[in-house]
Amino acid sequence: MSARKPVPFLDLVTSHEELKAELCAVFERALKTAGFIGGPMVDEFEREFASFCDSEHCVGVGSGTDALRFALIAAGVDAGDSVLTVPNTFIATTEAISQAGARPAFVDIDKRTYNMDPKKLHQYLEMECAVDDSGHAIDMSTGRRVTAVVPVHLYGQMCDMDPILELAEHYNLVVVEDACQAHGAEYFSRKQNRWRKAGSIGKVAAFSFYPGKNLGACGEAGAVTTSDPELAQKIRMLRDHGQSKKYYHDMEGYNGRLDAIQAGILQVKLRHLAEWNEQRRKCANRYDALFASTTDEVRAPFEPKWARPAYHLYVLRVENRASVQRHLTELGVGTGIHYPVPLHLQGAYSGLGYKAGAFPIAEEIAGEILSLPIFPGLTHNQQRLVVASLLTSIESNCSALAVSQST
Ligand SMILES: *Cc1c(COP(=O)(O)O)cnc(C)c1O
């Protein structure tokens, strides 16, 4: 067994080696002009990424967290507001809400997509909120105005946006998509009878270019997309100390700019993104096929008819995850858990007053989810090895249990 080559959870080296000459040329281009912040590479990348997302504007920023924070502030979220999202996401989603001065509030996820359940959103707004004179929902337990909702397209899977948009319109909520894991994912709107790209559906959207994302920089980077020119302009000011022009500050902002070298690198890699996403989808389909006969042991991801996921992650559910994962590590197969503790049960949010049991679906899956290796370049053989190792791990786990129960 140990003679087999390990399968890493993620291989970031090969794809960068293949693009090495082009990536190094970006650095040389920046050195020649010493244009390290802003400049033509940032402008060009912004135009190209906006176009990739079917959005009018893109504003490059320092990280996905910056993108979320600026999007929320620019969209008018005020200090003291309440902003809705899900407990099954990376903490940056809720950090941005808090840093915009608002308070995160959660609704549970759908048991098949693991993303925001529009029915739970509806229930929350209907049962737990009152509507004030301005048409805003007021959370009856906190007295706070609910002004925005952040659906997270987690794992590169799409949230069911039609009902979310409809509820948002009815309750006056700004929709901020967290598309940090969903570059290039698509959603079929039954209402509009057309496919729509992640990042073009809500009022405004946030992307992360953290190295491991489907489109990753060689460092920290992020972007906001929107088709609202005023919002785009506000975000341009927020990322640059609130300047409307140099040293004229209309408001306080942040140092949250995208640097030129990262923008240049992202330009090079963006040309491959559609192809890389296609490879990820192929990998996902191959896993699906390999798991087709093992539905009792593992639950493969659910792909709704209305979604073309970007498969940032391929997330299964297994019982006895801890020992299965340990066994896989011993067999040389890298895995991850996204995420082990739902946000409402994290120490950072003990002050929000949520108890265990508040969001049963998020809590249930948190104990069973396991992310398998998926990246462009993952071979069919590697995938077979991953699946065989997983099934071995599950079996040996079952026989170990049987032994411990019989003694
Ligand atoms: C990566 C990520 C972020 C944060 O992006 P950074 O670039 O790391 O700041 C936010 N939300 C989700 C869902 C993410 O996966």
Side-chain angles (χ1 to χ4, degrees):
M1 287 273 178
S2 54
R4 309 196 302 202
K5 263 188 127 172
V7 183
F9 178 61
L10 177 63
D11 173 14
L12 277 180
V13 175
T14 309
S15 61
H16 287 97
E17 278 294 321
E18 283 166 6
L19 297 173
K20 193 170 165 189
E22 277 181 278
L23 297 176
C24 291
V26 168
F27 184 54
E28 280 169 15
R29 185 177 167 194
L31 277 188
K32 252 185 221 139
T33 57
F36 297 123
I37 306 288
M41 288 199 281
V42 173
D43 298 342
E44 286 163 24
F45 171 69
E46 288 180 344
R47 274 197 299 276
E48 290 160 9
F49 193 67
S51 153
F52 177 86
C53 296
D54 292 340
S55 190
E56 293 291 321
H57 308 275
C58 165
V59 184
V61 295
S63 66
T65 312
D66 273 355
L68 282 163
R69 189 194 314 116
F70 300 163
L72 287 160
I73 296 171
V77 166
D78 275 329
D81 289 356
S82 181
V83 173
L84 298 168
T85 189
V86 284
N88 184 36
T89 177
F90 181 55
I91 192 170
T93 314
T94 43
E95 283 175 330
I97 293 170
S98 303
Q99 289 162 7
R103 178 185 158 113
F106 300 107
V107 295
D108 208 352
I109 54 173
D110 178 273
K111 65 174 185 296
R112 293 201 296 178
T113 66
Y114 311 153
N115 277 327
M116 180 175 280
D117 183 343
K119 284 195 212 78
K120 307 267 171 55
L121 178 64
H122 189 190
Q123 259 168 25
Y124 167 81
L125 290 163
E126 188 114 304
M127 316 290 283
E128 294 179 49
C129 296
V131 176
D132 72 4
D133 296 340
S134 66
H136 280 101
I138 307 291
D139 181 306
M140 290 189 287
S141 68
T142 63
R144 289 168 189 263
R145 225 162 57 126
V146 187
T147 52
V149 58
V150 185
V152 184
H153 307 309
L154 203 69
Y155 311 149
Q157 302 284 341
M158 292 298 300
C159 296
D160 189 2
M161 293 303 289
D162 277 346
I164 293 174
L165 290 179
E166 202 163 301
L167 286 164
E169 193 177 326
H170 189 262
Y171 286 94
N172 253 315
L173 306 174
V174 178
V175 178
V176 179
E177 295 174 73
D178 182 338
C180 287
Q181 298 191 2
H183 322 66
E186 290 177 81
Y187 171 73
F188 187 80
S189 166
R190 284 89 87 200
K191 209 173 157 192
Q192 301 186 341
N193 197 33
R194 64 176 174 118
W195 286 94
R196 305 189 67 179
K197 281 263 180 85
S200 73
I201 306 173
K203 178 91 174 154
V204 54
F207 287 90
S208 164
F209 305 124
Y210 185 78
K213 301 291 164 85
N214 287 28
L215 177 61
C218 296
E220 303 276 1
V224 179
T225 55
T226 179
S227 287
D228 179 329
E230 260 172 60
L231 210 57
Q233 185 50 29
K234 244 188 239 168
I235 291 159
R236 287 185 195 285
M237 288 170 64
L238 279 169
R239 74 172 170 182
D240 198 16
H241 301 289
Q243 296 187 129
S244 50
K245 59 180 184 179
K246 203 170 172 73
Y247 303 136
Y248 288 79
H249 306 271
D250 296 355
M251 57 182 175
E252 281 191 352
Y254 296 81
N255 177 351
R257 295 167 301 233
L258 173 62
D259 75 67
I261 292 172
Q262 297 307 336
I265 284 166
L266 290 166
Q267 259 190 300
V268 170
K269 295 179 73 178
L270 178 58
R271 290 181 212 126
H272 302 271
L273 180 56
E275 161 62 21
W276 286 337
N277 279 347
E278 205 41 57
Q279 287 185 32
R280 285 175 183 273
R281 284 184 193 122
K282 280 214 182 92
C283 290
N285 293 343
R286 273 193 226 135
Y287 273 138
D288 288 346
L290 290 165
F291 286 125
S293 59
T294 58
T295 46
D296 288 344
E297 295 95 331
V298 296
R299 201 172 310 168
F302 169 67
E303 199 179 297
K305 289 219 168 28
W306 41 259
R308 216 175 268 152
Y311 283 103
H312 174 57
L313 296 168
Y314 186 90
V315 179
L316 299 170
R317 281 176 73 172
V318 289
E319 281 172 35
N320 304 305
R321 180 187 59 202
S323 55
V324 170
Q325 188 180 30
R326 204 176 323 115
H327 208 113
L328 279 169
T329 308
E330 283 162 16
L331 293 174
V333 173
T335 55
I337 300 173
H338 304 89
Y339 296 90
V341 182
L343 291 183
H344 67 288
L345 301 179
Q346 293 279 2
Y349 295 120
S350 56
L352 293 181
Y354 290 107
K355 300 232 158 43
F359 303 105
I361 310 287
E363 290 168 32
E364 186 187 329
I365 72 147
E368 296 185 354
I369 45 182
L370 185 67
S371 311
L372 298 187
I374 190 164
F375 50 84
L378 182 70
T379 65
H380 203 159
N381 274 340
Q382 284 178 308
Q383 289 193 267
R384 275 201 213 100
L385 193 63
V386 169
V387 172
S389 306
L390 180 70
L391 297 179
T392 311
S393 305
I394 291 171
E395 259 165 46
S396 75
N397 192 53
C398 290
S399 40
L401 268 181
V403 169
S404 76
Q405 277 163 0
S406 64
T407 51

